[in-house]
Amino acid sequence: MIEVKVPELSESVNSGTLLTWRKAVGDAVVRDEILVDLETDKVVLEISTPAAGVLSEILASEGSEVQVGQVIARLGDVGEGVQKSPVTQLSPPPIPQPAVENKTVPERSTLANANPKATKPTTPPQGQGPGAGFLRPSQRRQMETAAPSQVSPVAMNPSVMPATAVPVCGPARNERRVPMTRLRLRIAERLKEAQNTAAMLTTFNEVNMQPVQQLRQRYKDSFQQGHGVKLGLMSFFVKAICHALKQYPVINARVDGRDILYHDYCDIGVAVSSERGLVVPVLRDAEILSLADIERRIGDFSRRANALQLQIEELEGGTFTVTNGGVFGSLMSTPILNPPQSAVLGLHKIQDRPVAENGQVVIRPMMYLALSYDHRIIDGREAVSFLASVKEGIEDPARLLLDL
């Protein structure tokens, strides 16, 4: 028997949740064939078979939490008897479905709803309409001589009418309970940790995007032909961020106990939205990357995030984060820190607005910038100056190339 174990993940991840078994008990497998998907706090990993054989036992069901080093399956040689474990013999309990009650509508009500005019009497029946409750002497004598069982409640009291069943109408009010994924739980924990720990404050500025847009329009074709990737906006912002971090290094630092830990490098986390949630892969040594390298790596992060192919190492670390809510139409927001980092820059929607230039009102493509920072180690002067430096780099891209 060959045991299939949960592999070593990373120093900060010790467990995961099994998602989907790709093979069933009795299936033949080859070496390095994907056996099951494992969801961690950060990514979804694929556990492969260590050798060829037959899947003889499954020791952990889908949705169960497993630890690093735990045996989750066993492989046998081809031709060996298959031994089904209790996990594989147990079928998941049926999901209870809300009971649907069929309301039978009386024929009288159905016809009345379908065609009210067809059932509307031309003359009021006896005991109804104007004068209801007044009985002629002959009618009164007939009621007094009739047997009690022959007298209807309507005849005794015309105001008492038989109850008619009313169909229950209205939209369905169903509810669903879905457990949060490990990634969503981890995001919630980290965001709440940042809110509870850091003294967060946000400062704003706005930037004229016309210089960068004109530069992109002028060189986009030659840039793509020469580098095989499109020239986007994020690469300019990453360059401007790295340039500003060198001027204000405390923005790139973090709290470590009673110390401030400074970083001489810029590992920029770029928030990427995937189908399973928000992930933040890190651009290592972004300060030495070219515009083409930045665009190439960000594009690769986006593709692999949706394909669930990011590695844990690519999501760890980072000294500063940038997030772009403008791609979803956000005009302004206050981003939350990505702990243990001390600052995060939020980009927003580019919108044509009237601004004053040289004493005249002109229309320019403007974007709001929002810098959230940890006020425990970053003063307002440094935060505002850092954001102004990013603004200058975007409005005058030559400063980034000349390192001014």
Side-chain angles (χ1 to χ4, degrees):
M1 286 287 181
I2 300 175
E3 295 180 339
V4 180
K5 300 181 180 181
V6 179
E8 293 289 338
L9 301 175
S10 70
E11 295 181 358
S12 60
V13 179
N14 299 316
S15 64
T17 301
L18 293 181
L19 293 182
T20 306
W21 283 96
R22 305 286 188 92
K23 296 292 182 179
V25 172
D27 290 348
V29 296
V30 298
R31 183 181 177 86
D32 295 330
E33 186 174 4
I34 299 175
L35 192 61
V36 65
D37 295 326
L38 177 69
E39 182 186 35
T40 70
D41 298 342
K42 299 179 179 180
V43 295
V44 176
L45 303 175
E46 297 171 339
I47 299 180
S48 304
T49 56
V54 175
L55 181 59
S56 58
E57 288 185 273
I58 293 179
L59 304 178
S61 60
E62 295 179 356
S64 60
E65 183 173 352
V66 293
Q67 304 295 323
V68 171
Q70 179 178 338
V71 179
I72 58 175
R74 290 191 177 96
L75 303 178
D77 296 333
V78 178
E80 289 186 0
V82 176
Q83 180 183 2
K84 294 188 177 180
S85 66
V87 174
T88 59
Q89 293 176 351
L90 294 177
S91 58
I95 300 175
Q97 300 293 334
V100 180
E101 182 179 357
N102 294 325
K103 298 292 184 178
T104 304
V105 182
E107 181 180 358
R108 173 180 173 185
S109 300
T110 304
L111 293 176
N113 293 334
N115 189 359
K117 294 182 179 180
T119 59
K120 183 178 180 180
T122 55
T123 58
Q126 184 177 352
Q128 300 182 20
F134 174 78
L135 299 178
R136 296 188 177 90
S138 60
Q139 292 175 326
R140 190 180 299 278
R141 287 194 301 270
Q142 183 179 1
M143 292 176 58
E144 292 174 353
T145 57
S149 60
Q150 297 175 349
V151 180
S152 65
V154 177
M156 295 295 296
N157 186 2
S159 62
V160 178
M161 297 298 295
T164 303
V166 180
V168 178
C169 302
R173 292 170 55 84
N174 299 328
E175 293 181 345
R176 295 185 302 129
R177 184 183 298 273
V178 180
M180 287 193 289
T181 63
R182 293 181 66 93
L183 177 60
R184 177 53 58 187
L185 285 171
R186 183 58 176 163
I187 291 174
E189 291 173 359
R190 289 179 62 83
L191 295 182
K192 191 59 180 175
E193 174 190 350
Q195 194 177 48
N196 293 340
T197 304
M200 281 195 298
L201 190 63
T202 304
T203 184
F204 301 92
N205 209 323
E206 62 178 353
V207 56
N208 181 4
M209 298 299 297
Q210 181 169 284
V212 169
Q213 288 186 341
Q214 291 177 343
L215 190 65
R216 289 179 60 208
Q217 186 66 28
R218 188 182 311 158
Y219 296 108
K220 65 177 183 179
D221 294 335
S222 57
F223 186 89
Q224 186 169 4
Q225 293 175 0
H227 300 284
V229 65
K230 292 182 178 180
L231 180 59
L233 293 176
M234 187 60 74
S235 55
F236 287 96
F237 275 102
V238 171
K239 276 293 186 182
I241 290 169
C242 293
H243 184 266
L245 288 178
K246 290 191 296 183
Q247 295 177 289
Y248 305 96
V250 71
I251 309 293
N252 201 38
R254 66 181 177 89
V255 176
D256 186 13
R258 302 185 64 174
D259 300 327
I260 300 177
L261 181 60
Y262 288 89
H263 306 285
D264 295 332
Y265 52 87
C266 298
D267 286 353
I268 308 300
V270 181
V272 176
S273 178
S274 67
E275 295 179 357
R276 299 188 66 85
L278 187 71
V279 293
V280 187
V282 178
L283 287 169
R284 308 288 179 187
D285 300 318
E287 73 278 8
I288 63 175
L289 297 179
S290 65
L291 295 177
D293 291 334
I294 295 173
E295 292 291 348
R296 192 176 295 110
R297 295 191 185 186
I298 292 177
D300 179 61
F301 286 154
S302 300
R303 288 189 295 271
R304 291 194 290 122
N306 289 317
L308 306 179
Q309 295 177 347
L310 289 175
Q311 302 299 315
I312 294 179
E313 295 77 11
E314 296 174 307
L315 302 174
E316 293 181 332
T319 60
F320 185 92
T321 294
V322 56
T323 177
N324 186 6
V327 296
F328 304 109
S330 173
L331 186 62
M332 184 178 292
S333 68
T334 55
I336 299 180
L337 297 180
N338 182 19
Q341 299 171 19
S342 299
V344 54
L345 178 65
L347 311 182
H348 299 91
K349 179 182 178 182
I350 300 174
Q351 190 175 58
D352 288 342
R353 291 198 297 270
V355 295
E357 283 187 2
N358 301 321
Q360 294 183 343
V361 176
V362 294
I363 304 299
R364 293 290 183 261
M366 304 298 293
M367 174 195 289
Y368 288 118
L369 303 179
L371 178 73
S372 294
Y373 59 97
D374 191 346
H375 211 353
R376 292 180 299 171
I377 63 172
I378 302 175
D379 294 331
R381 177 182 61 85
E382 295 160 328
V384 172
S385 301
F386 169 84
L387 197 57
S389 177
V390 173
K391 170 186 170 71
E392 292 174 357
I394 297 299
E395 293 184 341
D396 188 6
R399 298 174 62 91
L400 305 177
L401 299 178
L402 299 176
D403 196 18
L404 298 177

